[in-house]
Each structure stands twice: as structure tokens, then as C-alpha cells.
């Protein structure tokens, strides 16, 4: 079957509101863990996850940090306008953006846009006993977002400090509640470092210092990648066939050390979360392209949505995983790079052949979602076995819910 012909209705299951976890457990590593191993399903608690992983294996997790991306302004008429930060526009680099002082531009979603036809919005706030005024102005329009310029009258204040002061953490819409103070901690992984996401890589929410120590004690190596999760992660599939669905693009960066560690592990990894999967699997196709351009100079590498399926037309000619990873290592060495920057629009669905990810830790995803397609591809179509067990055994679903360890 052609992957593009897959009907999203075939990936539906009954998920009632009471099965969706509205808050995490008090002790995040005491969540339930479903273990799927070669067709057999069992359960444990997440605290014991190291017991199910091979000694000396390599685990890769996403160290992105969720930003307080919701900004609220009021017009003189009293109309409330919500500006949701999606991705940097000027400067386009995340690190430079958060260091910006006085002015910057973002691509944003705007709530109640019809009430904001023109002009500036402004609001004041106090930081360190100092009054600051920030203004927002529409300066352009993209296909699915607005380009908004922000200015503020304190050039000592960075954009990072500004959104920490006035922004609201964007918890998932399906929680059907307002953001609370506790979410600032519980909706971040304990290893989050690099600001940029508007949604958490939720498989990582189960980890604690004790769990990380148990991995270390078993000799399981850990590497981190950074993929900034965009609002598109919640984008529903509205088309009947997935071939008509447009995937969102997300930026990522991977350190040279991580590439070298992957090579040392024969290109095999345990991925924590679907964002780590998207990053790792995209590396194969970037290495594939680099093999076609052995003298390529430094550039931004991007994986298109359907590129993997087009490349798999002639599998006998496809490079091995190790060849693709070595091509990246050679490219980084040649261009004196310590970090590879790229972006991916990859859609992983049944018909996809995994190259790097051999085990996957992930939560339970929404019905008829691209994340469920990714899981189905990983377990060779056996997703209903997993989800039926979770529904019958009182597992908690979605971002603050329980987790699974999948070993096909």
C-alpha cells in the first residue's frame, strides 16, 4: 500500500475526556510504563525503565525547553488579543532571538485577529521595581501566521526576560484548563536546557534524577539533541488520506559528539519521544544527501515531508545507516562544525523504514494523529494491541499521562 493512501480514520480509537490526564502524578517517575516487546505487552512503573534496556545502549533525548509563548494584550476597546509565539523571524536564530534587546520580530498565531485590524498594541509591566512598556505591531503575513514586531523601552531587558515576565506557558489545548503555576515545573523535563519549544517533548516528563542515575548505573549512555517543538504538533489531520496532510517544519541541532556516539553504537539508539525520533531519522536522509555532495560547504539542511519515501524507491542503492552518519561526521569535520543545524518536515507512517531508532519511549497519543502513525510504523502496524491494553488497564493518556517502551 502506498503510504500516501493511508486513511486516517483507520487510526481511531475511543478516548474519553476522563482518560486524559489533566495533571501529572506527584512523583513523575511513578507513572505506569507499558512494555511492548515483539508483540507481547506487559506493564511496570517508569522508575524501573532501565531494567528493560540493554546494558551499554545509547539513549537520545530532546533537551528543548518550553517558552512562555502566550502573550496577552488588550485594545483600548477592551478586546483581548492573544499573540502566540511560533518561531523567530528577526533574528531568525533562537539563541540570538532570546538575547535580543529592545526589538525583535516573530511569526505568531493571533487569537481574536479580527479585532486587531491595524495599529499597535501595548501593555506595561513591572520587573525589578522598574516599569517597562512593550508594544506589538503587525508587520507582515505568512501562509499560516502573522509577522509581529515587538518593541520595548528597556534596552537592558532581553526577549527571554520579557517573555518570562509577561508570557504564559502554553499547555496543550486538550487539557481544557488554564495554565497554573505548577505547570512551569511539571511541563518541563528535568534535563530541559535550550529555550524554543511551544510544547514539551512529553515522553521526557517521566524522567527524574533517580531514573537518570539508574540508567548511568546500568552503563546506558545518554546523548541530547535539540528539536524545538512547534504548535503544529497539535495540528489535526483533517484530510481523509494522509497524502493530503501538510506536516509542520521544526528546527533541530545535533552536536558532533552525538554523531560520533551514534557511530560508536553502530547507528542504533533508544529514542525518548517522537521529537527525538524525528531528529534521529532525519539524520539518515541528511547523510544520504551529503553522500551525493561529498564536498558540500556549510549550509542549512532540510528534510522534506515525503523525501524518505521517494528515496526508498531503489533501496538497493540506498546507503547504510553507518555510511549516512559517517557522511555527516565527515561534513562536520571538513567544515570545522561542532553542531549540525537543520530542519525537518518528515512524516513517519506505515511504509516507513526506520534506520536509527531501535527502541522508543513515548506517551499515548491522540486518535487520528500523525504521532499515532509514527508509532504504528515503529511496531509494524500493531498499535491497536498496545492501545487496547492501555485502555483496558487504566493507563492515563496524552501529555501528562503514562508512557510506553516499544521494542519491535
Amino acid at each position: 500500500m502506498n503510504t500516501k493512501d493511508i486513511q486516517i480514520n483507520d487510526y481511531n480509537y475511543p478516548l474519553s475526556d476522563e482518560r486524559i490526564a489533566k495533571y501529572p502524578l506527584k512523583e513523575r517517575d511513578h507513572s505506569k510504563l507499558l512494555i511492548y516487546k515483539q508483540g507481547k505487552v506487559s506493564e511496570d512503573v517508569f522508575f524501573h525503565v532501565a531494567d528493560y534496556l540493554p546494558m551499554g545502549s545509547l539513549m537520545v533525548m530532546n533537551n528543548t525547553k518550553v517558552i512562555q509563548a502566550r502573550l496577552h494584550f488588550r485594545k483600548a476597546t477592551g478586546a483581548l488579543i492573544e499573540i502566540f509565539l511560533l518561531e523567530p523571524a528577526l533574528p531568525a536564530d533562537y539563541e540570538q532571538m532570546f538575547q535580543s534587546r529592545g526589538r525583535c520580530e516573530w511569526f505568531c498565531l493571533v487569537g481574536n485577529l479580527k479585532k486587531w485590524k491595524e495599529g499597535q498594541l501595548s501593555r506595561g509591566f513591572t520587573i525589578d521595581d522598574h516599569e517597562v512598556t512593550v508594544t506589538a505591531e503587525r508587520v507582515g503575513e505568512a501562509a499560516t501566521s502573522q509577522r509581529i514586531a515587538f518593541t520595548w523601552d528597556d534596552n537592558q531587558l532581553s526577549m527571554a526576560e520579557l517573555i518570562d515576565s509577561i508570557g504564559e506557558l502554553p499547555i496543550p489545548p486538550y487539557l481544557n484548563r488554564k495554565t497554573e503555576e505548577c505547570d512551569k515545573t511539571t511541563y518541563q523535563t528535568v534535563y530541559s536546557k535550550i529555550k524554543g519549544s511551544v510544547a514539551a517533548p512529553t515522553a521526557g516528563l517521566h524522567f527524574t534524577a533517580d531514573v537518570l542515575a539508574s540508567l548511568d548505573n546500568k552503563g546506558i549512555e545518554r546523548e541530547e539533541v535539540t528539536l524545538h517543538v512547534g504548535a503544529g504538533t497539535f495540528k489535526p489531520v483533517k484530510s481523509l488520506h494522509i497524502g493530503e496532510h501538510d506536516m509542520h517544519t521544526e528546527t533541530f541541532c545535533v552536536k558532533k559528539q552525538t554523531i560520533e556516539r551514534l557511530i560508536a553504537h553502530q547507528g542504533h539508539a533508544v529514542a525518548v519521544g517522537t521529537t527525538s525520533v524525528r531528529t534521529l531519522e532525519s539524520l539518515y536522509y541528511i547523510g544520504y544527501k551529503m553522500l551525493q555532495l561529498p564536498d558540500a560547504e556549510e549550509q542549512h539542511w532540510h528534510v522534506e515531508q515525503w523525501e524518505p519515501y521517494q528515496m526508498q524507491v531503489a533501496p538497493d542503492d540506498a546507503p547504510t545507516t553507518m555510511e549516512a552518519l559517517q557522511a555527516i561526521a565527515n561534513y562536520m569535520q571538513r567544515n570545522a562544525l561542532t553542531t549540525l543545524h537543520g530542519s525537518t518536515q518528515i512524516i513517519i507512517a506505515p511504509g516507513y523504514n526506520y534506520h536509527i531508532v531501535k527502541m522508543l519511549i513515548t506517551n499515548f497519543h491522540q486518535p487520528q494523529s500523525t504521532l499515532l502513525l509514527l508509532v504504528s510504523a515503529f511496531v509494524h502496524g500493531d498499535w491497536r494491541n498496545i492501545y487496547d491494553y492501555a485502555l483496558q488497564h487504566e493507563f492515563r493518556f496524552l501529555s501528562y499521562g503514562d508512557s510506553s517502551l516499544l521494542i519491535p
Side-chain angles (χ1 to χ4, degrees):
M1 181 182 178
N2 189 319
T3 300
K4 290 185 179 183
D5 293 333
I6 289 173
Q7 294 189 27
I8 197 63
N9 290 341
D10 292 337
Y11 294 83
N12 200 4
Y13 69 91
L15 180 63
S16 59
D17 186 64
E18 57 264 25
R19 302 307 298 270
I20 300 172
K22 301 301 191 292
Y23 297 89
L25 297 181
K26 186 175 181 181
E27 295 182 78
R28 57 172 76 189
D29 58 11
H30 281 53
S31 56
K32 293 175 78 169
L33 175 68
L34 180 150
I35 301 99
Y36 173 91
K37 186 172 183 179
Q38 296 161 356
K40 296 182 179 179
V41 182
S42 59
E43 65 178 270
D44 202 333
V45 293
F46 192 82
F47 186 81
H48 299 139
V49 68
D51 295 344
Y52 299 93
L53 301 174
M55 185 177 296
S57 52
L58 176 65
M59 178 177 284
V60 179
M61 49 238 307
N62 183 6
N63 65 11
T64 187
K65 192 177 185 73
V66 185
I67 62 171
Q68 297 183 188
R70 280 198 172 104
L71 308 180
H72 294 104
F73 291 80
R74 280 201 184 274
K75 293 193 66 178
T77 61
L80 180 65
I81 309 294
E82 179 181 282
I83 301 177
F84 190 106
L85 306 175
L86 287 180
E87 60 178 300
L90 186 68
D93 177 79
Y94 278 90
E95 185 174 351
Q96 292 178 23
M97 168 59 75
F98 291 120
Q99 294 173 356
S100 296
R101 300 178 188 276
R103 191 183 190 283
C104 63
E105 296 180 13
W106 283 77
F107 293 110
C108 308
L109 297 177
V110 178
N112 213 6
L113 180 63
K114 62 182 182 295
K115 294 288 183 68
W116 184 23
K117 302 290 187 185
E118 58 185 3
Q120 294 183 337
L121 303 175
S122 66
R123 62 173 288 185
F125 64 98
T126 303
I127 182 169
D128 297 331
D129 298 322
H130 179 58
E131 287 291 327
V132 179
T133 299
V134 58
T135 64
E137 182 177 7
R138 292 169 60 190
V139 295
E141 191 169 350
T144 58
S145 61
Q146 302 290 320
R147 185 165 178 148
I148 309 292
F150 297 95
T151 57
W152 56 100
D153 59 2
D154 182 351
N155 287 328
Q156 299 303 308
L157 189 69
S158 69
M159 183 61 181
E161 294 168 317
L162 187 149
I163 62 175
D164 282 347
S165 297
I166 68 171
E168 178 184 294
L169 198 77
I171 60 174
Y174 48 65
L175 295 184
N176 291 319
R177 65 173 176 84
K178 292 185 176 180
T179 302
E180 300 177 22
E181 189 64 25
C182 60
D183 293 306
K184 292 182 179 179
T185 301
T186 59
Y187 198 57
Q188 302 279 12
T189 64
V190 296
Y191 49 79
S192 64
K193 297 180 180 69
I194 314 298
K195 290 184 175 182
S197 280
V198 299
T202 53
L205 296 180
H206 306 275
F207 287 81
T208 61
D210 287 340
V211 171
L212 295 176
S214 71
L215 295 169
D216 293 342
N217 290 338
K218 194 169 181 180
I220 295 169
E221 297 182 49
R222 288 184 279 123
E223 280 293 321
E224 296 177 357
V225 295
T226 304
L227 179 139
H228 292 312
V229 189
T233 193
F234 299 118
K235 182 181 177 182
V237 180
K238 295 182 178 179
S239 56
L240 177 62
H241 298 97
I242 66 164
E244 298 159 12
H245 177 73
D246 289 327
M247 284 292 288
H248 54 291
T249 295
E250 293 167 317
T251 61
F252 65 82
C253 56
V254 179
K255 292 182 179 177
K256 185 181 179 185
Q257 170 188 302
T258 304
I259 301 296
E260 292 170 343
R261 192 74 65 87
L262 283 166
I263 292 171
H265 284 263
Q266 301 302 306
H268 297 170
V270 180
V272 178
T274 58
T275 59
S276 297
V277 171
R278 285 166 57 78
T279 303
L280 289 169
E281 291 299 311
S282 294
L283 289 177
Y284 173 80
Y285 296 100
I286 288 172
Y288 193 133
K289 289 192 244 191
M290 288 177 177
L291 285 168
Q292 316 303 314
L293 301 166
D295 299 317
E297 296 183 356
E298 183 179 356
Q299 60 181 276
H300 180 91
W301 297 90
H302 176 70
V303 179
E304 299 284 352
Q305 176 169 337
W306 296 107
E307 206 166 348
Y309 306 87
Q310 295 158 357
M311 288 180 171
Q312 287 177 13
V313 170
D316 291 342
D317 298 329
T320 65
T321 300
M322 290 292 282
E323 288 170 340
L325 289 171
Q326 191 59 56
I328 296 175
N330 294 343
Y331 164 85
M332 296 182 76
Q333 179 72 28
R334 188 170 64 252
N335 290 286
L337 299 177
T338 57
T339 304
L340 176 74
H341 293 272
S343 57
T344 185
Q345 195 187 2
I346 192 172
I347 184 169
I348 297 178
Y352 179 86
N353 295 320
Y354 278 82
H355 297 278
I356 294 174
V357 179
K358 301 304 177 184
M359 298 184 186
L360 169 60
I361 295 170
T362 188
N363 284 15
F364 297 94
H365 306 292
Q366 288 180 292
Q368 301 187 82
S369 64
T370 57
L371 300 181
L372 189 52
L373 293 173
L374 181 152
V375 168
S376 180
F378 192 67
V379 297
H380 310 299
D382 200 22
W383 70 273
R384 283 196 185 275
N385 185 14
I386 296 163
Y387 276 67
D388 285 347
Y389 184 97
L391 288 166
Q392 293 163 11
H393 291 78
E394 303 301 317
F395 276 68
R396 301 157 72 247
F397 280 63
L398 307 188
S399 294
Y400 274 146
D402 296 315
S403 66
S404 62
L405 169 62
L406 308 180
I407 307 171

